């Protein structure tokens, strides 16, 4: 417990209770009320600066009032900030943690080890992690829903560019990232954060001379603008911004005291964000990509007048020696007993066919039981969507027992009957 005279403690409480609807500081106690708006991060930074000024070094953190609506643009920066303050000798004791925090890597971010799900979790990354992290994101995103042609490639390109910007320009060895898929609104939400020098400081020793943090952000969004052409072409944020301007996508960038937002076709900026210090300005790139409509590379990724087509080995890496897409059900499916597990593989197949119309081999070797619901969700719905001739042309199955073949055949027949009933009613 810190010792204050009565006047100092009274002033501290007054400062902490002013407009703190998102997070409240009460002596050494920090109470969070929500984790779904970036203002929570600003309030936390301002509160910590005041608490430090008044001598507090040990804090009890209470998340019990937070509901299940948790967004990446809040928990990613907060995770990094907790880690930073702890490195500076401040202590946080986390109390009353909601159960839904389990497995989220919040408030303690983790390094991705290549196993388990990657969405809805906070990850810390360095340069050597980017490839594996991006691959894992795209693989899991591709299982969550079906997307227009080009969307997964666009997401892969954007995420790689933004994560690489952290390493190249922030003067920080590590960054932080989290992604979510929102099927109801048809958006993929991703936040990338670093505790680096900020865009304004990054431009200081370049040929560009931004007047302030907002000027620096808007400069970085322009084509071919970078602090150093030898380490980057300056098209990352420009290309992301171009992708965002298609459909109902959104982009918000906070760096140093500057803030930029593009939402529903309108741009907003202001210069009033809190910073830890002049050296540590922090940068948050928070974007939501809309997949309710097709993403056009021809319109978005045009650099120096030429269309840029990203190179991706994602689908090529799934091919066997004959050029067919090979999917090992035992390894890639989360069991063969539930409709949810089947839906993830079905989404993956549909997304592959939209990008590369190749033969897909489903290997059921080693599978002991296939439930009727799994068979219906995966094979019967594929058959129903693709049609008889297209299904027979692109879908091949191996490793099935006689009993499993009967289950699949029955599911397909029942699906055909059900679809015919629906068609006759309409």
């Amino acid at each position: 417990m810190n010792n204050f005279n009565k006047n100092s403690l009274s002033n501290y409480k007054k400062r902490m209770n002013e407009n703190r609807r998102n997070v409240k500081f009460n002596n050494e106690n920090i109470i969070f009320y929500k984790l779904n708006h970036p203002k929570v991060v600003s309030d936390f930074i301002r509160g910590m600066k005041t608490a430090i000024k008044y001598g507090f070094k040990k804090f009890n953190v209470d998340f019990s009032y937070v509901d299940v609506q948790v967004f990446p643009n809040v928990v990613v920066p907060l995770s990094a900030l907790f880690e930073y303050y702890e490195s500076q000798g401040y202590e946080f004791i986390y109390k009353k943690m909601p159960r839904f925090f389990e497995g989220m890597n919040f408030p303690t971010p983790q390094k991705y080890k290549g196993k388990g799900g990657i969405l809805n979790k906070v990850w810390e990354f360095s340069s050597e992690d980017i490839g594996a992290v991006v691959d894992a994101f795209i693989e899991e995103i591709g299982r969550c829903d079906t997307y227009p042609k080009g969307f997964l490639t666009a997401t892969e390109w954007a995420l790689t560019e933004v994560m690489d910007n952290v390493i190249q320009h922030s003067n920080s060895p590590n960054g932080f990232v989290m992604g979510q898929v929102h099927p109801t609104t048809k958006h993929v939400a991703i936040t990338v954060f670093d505790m680096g020098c900020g865009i304004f400081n990054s431009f200081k020793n370049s040929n560009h001379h931004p007047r302030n943090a907002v000027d620096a952000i808007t400069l970085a969004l322009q084509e071919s603008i970078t602090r150093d052409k030898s380490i980057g072409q300056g098209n990352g944020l420009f290309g992301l911004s171009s992708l965002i301007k298609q459909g109902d996508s959104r982009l918000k960038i906070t760096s140093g005291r500057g803030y930029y937002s593009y939402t529903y076709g309108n741009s907003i900026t202001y210069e009033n964000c809190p910073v830890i210090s002049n050296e540590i300005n922090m940068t948050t790139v928070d974007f939501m990509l809309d997949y309710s409509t097709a993403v056009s590379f021809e319109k978005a990724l045009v650099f120096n007048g030429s269309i840029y087509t990203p190179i991706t080995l994602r689908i090529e890496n799934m091919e066997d020696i004959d050029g067919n897409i090979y999917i090992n059900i035992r390894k890639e499916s989360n069991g063969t007993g539930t409709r949810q597990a089947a839906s993830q593989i079905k989404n993956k197949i549909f997304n592959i066919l939209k990008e590369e119309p190749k033969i897909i081999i489903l290997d059921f070797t080693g599978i002991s039981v296939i439930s009727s619901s799994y068979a219906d969700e995966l094979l019967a719905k594929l058959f129903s969507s693709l049609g008889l001739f297209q299904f027979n042309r692109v879908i091949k199955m191996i490793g099935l027992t006689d009993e499993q073949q009967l289950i699949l055949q029955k599911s397909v027949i029942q699906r055909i009957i059900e679809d015919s009933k629906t068609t006759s009613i309409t």
Side-chain angles (χ1 to χ4, degrees):
M1 175 69 67
N2 298 278
N3 294 318
F4 299 106
N5 60 48
K6 290 183 178 180
N7 188 48
S8 295
L9 188 57
S10 176
N11 289 337
Y12 173 73
K13 288 182 177 180
K14 181 179 179 181
R15 291 285 299 276
M16 291 299 92
N17 288 324
E18 290 175 353
N19 300 320
R20 293 291 181 260
R21 289 174 293 180
N22 301 312
V23 53
K24 179 180 178 181
F25 284 69
N26 182 15
N27 294 345
E28 67 272 22
N29 300 306
I30 306 174
I31 304 170
F32 284 88
Y33 293 97
K34 59 177 69 174
L35 292 174
N36 62 357
H37 197 286
K39 285 185 178 180
V40 176
V41 179
S42 298
D43 283 350
F44 176 72
I45 295 173
R46 292 189 179 101
M48 282 300 299
K49 293 184 79 169
T50 304
I52 291 170
K53 176 182 176 181
Y54 282 92
F56 285 99
K57 293 191 66 79
K58 185 175 181 179
F59 301 90
N60 300 310
V61 185
D62 182 356
F63 290 106
S64 62
Y65 295 94
V66 174
D67 63 22
V68 294
Q69 198 173 44
V70 175
F71 291 166
N73 58 7
V74 181
V75 294
V76 173
L78 281 180
S79 296
L81 285 164
F82 281 127
E83 185 177 278
Y84 165 77
Y85 284 118
E86 286 174 345
S87 73
Q88 301 302 303
Y90 299 96
E91 183 179 354
F92 298 96
I93 301 171
Y94 302 109
K95 298 183 176 182
K96 300 180 181 179
M97 301 286 279
R99 283 191 175 182
F100 61 85
F101 278 15
E102 293 178 9
M104 195 182 292
N105 300 342
F106 175 79
T108 307
Q110 304 292 318
K111 281 270 194 174
Y112 182 64
K113 302 296 183 182
K115 294 183 179 180
I118 196 167
L119 291 174
N120 301 305
K121 301 176 183 180
V122 183
W123 301 102
E124 184 172 356
F125 67 89
S126 52
S127 59
E128 63 268 19
D129 304 317
I130 293 177
V133 169
V134 172
D135 287 347
F137 266 118
I138 300 305
E139 170 67 20
E140 191 168 343
I141 289 171
R143 292 168 176 259
C144 292
D145 208 342
T146 56
Y147 306 90
K149 181 178 180 180
F151 179 83
L152 290 177
T153 301
T155 305
E156 181 180 9
W157 179 86
L159 181 56
T160 302
E161 289 289 323
V162 176
M163 290 177 68
D164 186 61
N165 274 354
V166 168
I167 304 302
Q168 299 297 337
H169 303 297
S170 71
N171 291 335
S172 175
N174 297 313
F176 303 83
V177 63
M178 180 179 182
Q180 293 178 335
V181 176
H182 301 279
T184 303
T185 60
K186 301 295 182 184
H187 282 92
V188 171
I190 298 175
T191 295
V192 181
F193 178 85
D194 68 74
M195 294 289 297
C197 62
I199 298 174
F200 178 72
N201 287 333
S202 177
F203 275 133
K204 270 188 175 179
N205 297 321
S206 70
N207 295 326
H208 311 287
H209 303 286
R211 296 163 297 173
N212 51 45
V214 168
D215 196 24
I217 294 172
T218 54
L219 190 64
L221 289 168
Q222 297 177 29
E223 183 179 3
S224 300
I225 299 296
T226 181
R227 69 177 176 89
D228 188 346
K229 285 285 188 180
S230 66
I231 61 173
Q233 295 301 308
N235 291 326
L237 289 181
F238 169 74
L240 173 60
S241 177
S242 298
L243 288 171
I244 292 296
K245 291 177 181 177
Q246 299 187 61
D248 179 25
S249 297
R250 291 159 242 178
L251 172 64
K252 296 181 180 182
I253 300 175
T254 303
S255 188
R257 298 191 181 280
Y259 171 83
Y260 167 90
S261 172
Y262 179 89
T263 308
Y264 305 122
N266 297 315
S267 298
I268 299 173
T269 63
Y270 65 79
E271 177 110 5
N272 193 31
C273 299
V275 296
I276 291 178
S277 68
N278 291 331
E279 293 73 31
I280 303 176
N281 273 206
M282 309 174 297
T283 297
T284 305
V285 180
D286 168 35
F287 58 99
M288 293 183 70
L289 292 172
D290 172 26
Y291 63 87
S292 64
T293 56
V295 175
S296 173
F297 284 117
E298 289 76 12
K299 293 180 180 179
L301 303 186
V302 178
F303 305 127
N304 296 318
S306 300
I307 297 173
Y308 172 73
T309 303
I311 298 174
T312 176
L313 300 177
R314 174 170 48 87
I315 295 180
E316 185 176 318
N317 290 336
M318 302 178 199
E319 296 178 358
D320 61 15
I321 58 175
D322 298 318
N324 302 318
I325 305 297
Y326 176 82
I327 298 177
N328 187 314
I329 297 297
R330 184 179 181 184
K331 292 182 178 179
E332 296 199 35
S333 182
N334 186 23
T336 53
T338 67
R339 198 170 285 276
Q340 182 182 9
S343 179
Q344 292 177 352
I345 298 296
K346 181 191 65 180
N347 288 338
K348 178 174 181 173
I349 291 170
F350 277 132
N351 288 321
I352 291 172
L353 291 175
K354 287 181 180 180
E355 298 290 340
E356 296 283 347
K358 295 187 176 184
I359 293 174
I360 296 178
I361 298 174
L362 303 179
D363 187 355
F364 289 86
T365 301
I367 299 297
S368 58
V369 177
I370 299 176
S371 72
S372 297
S373 60
Y374 187 95
D376 175 60
E377 187 67 30
L378 178 57
L379 277 306
K381 286 190 177 180
L382 276 173
F383 184 92
S384 178
S385 297
L386 295 174
L388 171 63
F389 297 107
Q390 181 72 351
F391 181 90
N392 286 335
R393 189 177 73 83
V394 299
I395 304 295
K396 309 297 179 183
M397 291 172 284
I398 61 175
L400 288 166
T401 66
D402 291 342
E403 289 182 355
Q404 290 168 350
Q405 290 182 43
L406 288 173
I407 292 173
L408 296 180
Q409 288 173 4
K410 182 179 179 181
S411 295
V412 170
I413 292 170
Q414 289 178 330
R415 175 57 55 182
I416 292 172
I417 294 173
E418 193 65 33
D419 287 349
S420 64
K421 289 180 179 179
T422 304
T423 303
S424 62
I425 291 173
T426 56

